[in-house]
Amino acid sequence: MNTIKQHTQVLSKNQKWTIASTSSGFALENMDVLFLSFAMSSMIADLHLSGGAAGLISSVTNLGMLAGGIIFGILGDKIGRVKTFSHTVIIFAVATACMAFAKNIYLIYALRFLAGIGAGGEYGVGIALIAETFPQAQIGKMTSIAAIGGQVGAVLAALIAAWIIPNAGWHMLFLVGIVPVVLTIFIRKHLHESEQFLTAKAKEKGSLLSNVFKKMFATPQLALQSLGLMLMMTVQIAGYFGLMNWLPTIVQKQLHLNVANSSLWMIATIIGMSIGMLTFGSIFDYFGPRRAFGIFLVGSAIMVYTLSLATNMLTLLLIGAVVGFFSNGMFGGYGAVISRLYPTEIRSSANNIIVNIGRAIGGFSSVVIGILMDQYNLTIVMGFLSALYIISLIVMINLPGLKTLSRNKA
């Protein structure tokens, strides 16, 4: 009966603002990331880039996310989630807007690194806010809802890109990136720190850095857990960036589609992702993380490879939606798992360190896929991604924390 009440209760005002703000922040961040995907073909032609050099743009962004994740993760645990969250939004918004004035690849690398710093800091702080505002039995669903906000941003990116690039060029597309600054006004006005964070902060003893290391790596079991989650996140990001950064370009070449039509494929895939996230969050909360991740990792391995069989627009749309359902449906689950495995006083840091190390390493899939595209066909590329999901499945099955973690039914 208590469980039923937890899942049906009306959200408080603070809970509504928390989920609205984090979802909006993730939406605007993902919109920024996808702008790069849709602008890639135009940037390659305009700046005469090789596949490897173009793929490095995303990799540099992810290295910035790693740096920002560590810095702002620690700040989020030190000075508070709300203040830190608003700072990260301003940084990635301004850096993205400055891309409108970038005329060479080196300036693009610098701006993408700066944008990554802001975007990388945002994730862990936002997830920590959710974990400390909602009951444990709802964290899987709520982190997945927040992650759906990211997919809304991706849809907006597809629509905006299809309108702006053909008419004004790729530079003007990035100018839209200044919009997230408005979000910070609402964040600072309506959100406040959770009692859980304030209590943990008052009890904090010793150096935060030493606490982070101690509670993430001090024992072999903790180290195995943290490293295993990093590897799983690496695969998650490798698959996501491989699909979202390069497949629009692949689709344009292989099926001879224009930017508008490849945007249609992206929208179908994103719809699949959003449905997958809602499904994953419910499975996570009711049946636990091992079963949820197991189903979605196996589905990802099968469906990513199947994508190479698409020969026309209809099959591409259908398979793309199912691929999105599995491959990115589990994204919100990582924040839910990390938030339950690590204590409040390092929750922001743990989320950002694990997720952004995965982003930094997994982001290099853009370079690898760019090289594979120059040398091999789509079947080889999809086979590479499919094998990564199998590796992640094997790691997940053997993670110590996930073997004992179960839904809190209190």
Side-chain angles (χ1 to χ4, degrees), residues 53-103:
L56 189 58
I57 300 173
S58 293
S59 300
V60 167
T61 305
N62 287 307
L63 289 174
M65 287 181 171
L66 174 58
I70 295 172
I71 294 168
F72 287 108
I74 292 172
L75 281 176
D77 288 326
K78 193 72 178 176
I79 68 173
R81 321 310 197 187
V82 177
K83 185 183 294 184
T84 304
F85 190 71
S86 62
H87 290 340
T88 63
V89 173
I90 290 174
I91 290 172
F92 82 72
V94 173
T96 298
C98 287
M99 281 282 290
F101 309 101
K103 301 297 183 181

Side-chain angles (χ1 to χ4, degrees), residues 93-233:
V94 173
T96 298
C98 287
M99 281 282 290
F101 309 101
K103 301 297 183 181
N104 61 71
I105 189 62
Y106 302 107
L107 183 54
I108 288 172
Y109 287 152
L111 289 172
R112 293 311 300 168
F113 182 81
L114 185 59
I117 287 177
E122 181 190 32
Y123 178 82
V125 180
I127 291 296
L129 272 170
I130 293 171
E132 292 159 11
T133 304
F134 292 90
Q136 278 198 358
Q138 293 180 306
I139 292 177
K141 183 177 292 184
M142 290 304 167
T143 54
S144 291
I145 288 173
I148 289 173
Q151 304 318 306
V152 172
V155 172
L156 290 174
L159 296 173
I160 294 170
W163 174 50
I164 291 181
I165 292 178
N167 296 301
W170 66 269
H171 283 93
M172 293 305 297
L173 177 65
F174 288 97
L175 198 57
V176 180
I178 199 65
V179 171
V181 171
V182 178
L183 175 63
T184 63
I185 299 171
F186 294 94
I187 292 172
R188 299 299 283 272
K189 182 178 180 180
H190 296 285
L191 291 187
H192 57 79
E193 302 297 345
S194 69
E195 289 297 325
Q196 188 179 146
F197 168 75
L198 294 174
T199 300
K201 178 66 179 170
K203 294 179 179 179
E204 182 187 334
K205 295 180 180 179
S207 165
L208 181 58
L209 280 173
S210 64
N211 279 341
V212 170
F213 180 83
K214 180 180 178 181
K215 292 169 182 175
M216 290 185 70
F217 302 103
T219 68
Q221 185 174 11
L222 281 173
L224 178 60
Q225 174 177 281
S226 298
L227 293 173
L229 287 168
M230 288 175 191
L231 193 149
M232 289 181 67
M233 179 53 67

